[in-house]
Amino acid sequence: MNLWGKLAVAATVAWASSTAFALTDPTSRQGEPLSALTSVDASDDARYVEHWIRARGDDHGNPFVIVDKKAARIFVFGAGGRLVGESSTILGQSRGDVPVPGAGQKNPSDLLPYERKTPAGRFESQPGRNLHGEPVVWVDYDTGIAIHRVRPGISQMQRVSSLATEDPNNKRLSLGCVVVPEEFFWSVVIPTMGHGHGVVYVLPEDEPVQALFVAPKAEPRAVAATAAIAPAELPQPVRLNVSAR
């Protein structure tokens, strides 16, 4: 097997080893909330936010994602809170939780190093397509942040290699998007988040997670008004000035 093949296998193993863990109690929300992260390697911050979501019903029965920036990991949950999969992930090159004003309106090649951030917060997600017509899950359409696969190109080998490492510091390579292994994208992200509205919770790295995810629960953004649209009728936004980052 050549080097490229070995890197691809390593990146796949990084998420596949613990990708399928399901809740077995369908009535868990009626009593004490259970955790779908009990049997996986998750940080205290990720566990806190999962509990926060369940205790408040903040996902409103929709599929949701937790992105742990400190650990450079992503957890994808189906409707009802079942953990569908987890993976290593690539994040914005610049650390920080607040997007730089105007960065989302820039061409990706014009972004300055300090503008390449993955913003923290609660986001109403929706499936769509990027400038190249490829499926993505928009996290924050206004700033051009999406969840997408490792794309072909000059950065592909570096990104695949970094996904296979354990050090989160090696995974700060994107222009702000949440980048996942290709197989994970097609087998977990798209089937779960690619057919309707969902919620993405991006954990902060500059402040305690409890400072961002506190009661009362966040008000839904305007995009939630279209939540009743059938999946086949969902708009497919194309970011005209932002390609996959």
Side-chain angles (χ1 to χ4, degrees):
M1 182 182 296
N2 59 26
L3 175 61
W4 178 250
K6 291 179 179 178
L7 290 175
V9 169
T12 299
V13 170
W15 68 264
S17 61
S18 55
T19 188
F21 174 78
L23 286 176
T24 57
D25 182 1
T27 64
S28 61
R29 296 215 177 199
Q30 298 176 11
E32 182 67 21
L34 299 178
S35 174
L37 299 179
T38 301
S39 300
V40 301
D41 183 15
S43 69
D44 289 343
D45 284 355
R47 295 178 191 277
Y48 168 84
V49 171
E50 188 217 11
H51 177 79
W52 184 92
I53 295 165
R54 291 176 182 279
R56 292 160 177 77
D58 191 77
D59 56 324
H60 302 293
N62 292 316
F64 64 93
V65 168
I66 295 176
V67 178
D68 187 343
K69 290 205 292 179
K70 292 179 182 178
R73 295 201 67 78
I74 180 173
F75 303 89
V76 180
F77 300 80
R82 181 179 65 88
L83 180 62
V84 180
E86 61 161 317
S87 173
S88 174
T89 186
I90 291 171
L91 301 165
Q93 295 173 13
S94 179
R95 298 182 185 279
D97 299 321
V98 181
V100 177
Q105 286 66 54
K106 284 188 174 184
N107 185 292
S109 62
D110 295 332
L111 288 171
L112 300 174
Y114 72 90
E115 294 176 318
R116 301 170 182 179
K117 295 181 180 181
T118 302
R122 179 191 186 278
F123 302 93
E124 300 278 353
S125 70
Q126 61 177 321
R129 295 184 181 274
N130 64 12
L131 181 64
H132 304 282
E134 301 169 332
V136 301
V137 174
W138 290 111
V139 176
D140 187 6
Y141 185 75
D142 291 340
T143 57
I145 303 298
I147 302 172
H148 66 78
R149 67 186 177 102
V150 175
R151 299 187 61 252
I154 58 175
S155 65
Q156 183 178 18
M157 181 171 289
Q158 181 187 19
R159 292 185 173 194
V160 170
S161 177
S162 71
L163 283 167
T165 68
E166 296 294 331
D167 188 354
N169 294 319
N170 293 335
K171 302 181 174 81
R172 307 306 292 253
L173 300 173
S174 82
L175 300 184
C177 283
V178 178
V179 184
V180 299
E182 183 167 12
E183 185 174 351
F184 183 82
F185 181 76
W186 293 117
S187 65
V188 176
V189 174
I190 286 299
T192 308
M193 304 294 292
H195 301 289
H197 289 280
V199 188
V200 177
Y201 303 87
V202 183
L203 311 191
E205 56 187 343
D206 287 344
E207 62 179 349
V209 68
Q210 295 85 356
L212 185 60
F213 295 99
V214 294
K217 62 186 178 183
E219 292 294 327
R221 292 172 54 188
V223 70
T226 60
I229 299 177
E233 300 173 340
L234 280 170
Q236 296 291 309
V238 175
R239 192 74 184 182
L240 297 180
N241 63 336
V242 178
S243 181
R245 295 184 176 185

